[in-house]
Amino acid sequence: MRTPIVAGNWKMNKKASEAAEFVGTLLEAGIDKIEGVEAVVCPVFPSLPVVAELCEGKNLFIGAQNLYFEPKGAYTGEVSPEMVKEFCQYVILGHSERRAYFHETDEMVNKKIKAAFAVGLIPILCVGETYEENQAGKTKDIVTAQVKADLAGLTVEQVTGMVIAYEPIWAIGTGLAASGELANQVIHDFVRTPVAELFGEETAEALRIQYGGSVSPANAEEFFSMPDIDGALVGGASLKPDFVEIVRVAAQCKA
Ligand code: 13P
């Protein structure tokens, strides 16, 4: 049995004071009392300390949105795995926005995943195809290639314990979510199956795979009722109290 995981990727939103107020709202709404699901919030770096303090001892986990793979040194503007680990349990890596705007390659993502594991952080690896790739029938090639390259050299134990988010780029921030069935098919055929081939059936069965892209309280059930979808990586809707509802639907669907 895989424990569902719903993570809120706040992207570049909410300064520390806003983050603190919002986490207060989530806790008041009982997000940490929902059983059978892991809820994660992923603020910007400067908001991590205050959010970590508010979540201490609570059933609400914290993720960063990035890290650099070197442990320390002359890398102006970057944040090391150890620095992230001080406040977080999770770290989102390889998000399509980082790949597109900051030129992150699979090789860099692979290094970051290894660096995260080296300090005990759990990576949430993002993969997904663009609209053009999708229309050209390349979803399988793109997603499978990302999975293979990003997970290269990892151990069975590492892959078993990590999280992958399938986020079709055309569904991110567009309001045009994939259908539950399509997302489930891509996740099963192009993520879980290649993981089984590379790391074995048991690993693939244990690995948690999220869907991401325009998830909202209105469509959450469509995704969480699918057998291969173990949660969601939520952008826009994670900035609002709506997020609690999405976490609740995940708990209900997977109970
Ligand atoms: P939206 O939920 O806003 O589409 O964003 C998805 C996403 O990119 C989460 O990482």
Side-chain angles (χ1 to χ4, degrees), residues 20-120:
E21 192 186 338
F22 182 59
V23 168
T25 304
L26 295 178
L27 291 170
E28 260 169 48
I31 192 167
D32 57 325
K33 304 288 188 307
I34 305 171
E35 287 179 19
V37 59
E38 249 178 276
V40 184
V41 289
C42 304
V44 294
F45 289 130
S47 298
L48 287 175
V50 68
V51 170
E53 208 178 311
L54 289 167
C55 294
E56 176 129 35
K58 300 225 159 65
N59 187 31
L60 176 58
F61 299 92
I62 305 169
Q65 299 173 18
N66 183 30
L67 53 68
Y68 193 55
F69 47 76
E70 293 291 348
K72 65 175 177 182
Y75 303 101
T76 302
E78 293 298 310
V79 176
S80 79
E82 281 283 1
M83 292 166 187
V84 168
K85 172 69 180 155
E86 214 178 337
F87 305 107
C88 300
Q89 298 80 40
Y90 289 92
V91 58
I92 298 170
L93 293 172
H95 193 279
S96 57
E97 288 150 16
R98 294 218 54 87
R99 294 178 193 256
Y101 305 144
F102 305 101
H103 315 294
E104 281 194 15
T105 61
D106 285 318
E107 196 187 342
M108 287 162 74
V109 173
N110 179 253
K111 280 187 182 174
K112 289 182 176 200
I113 292 174
K114 288 173 178 161
F117 275 125
V119 299

Side-chain angles (χ1 to χ4, degrees), residues 231-254:
L233 185 55
V234 186
S238 76
L239 298 170
K240 296 176 272 183
D242 274 7
F243 185 60
V244 183
E245 189 51 32
I246 297 174
V247 175
R248 205 163 269 134
V249 174
Q252 282 161 3
C253 289
K254 300 294 180 186

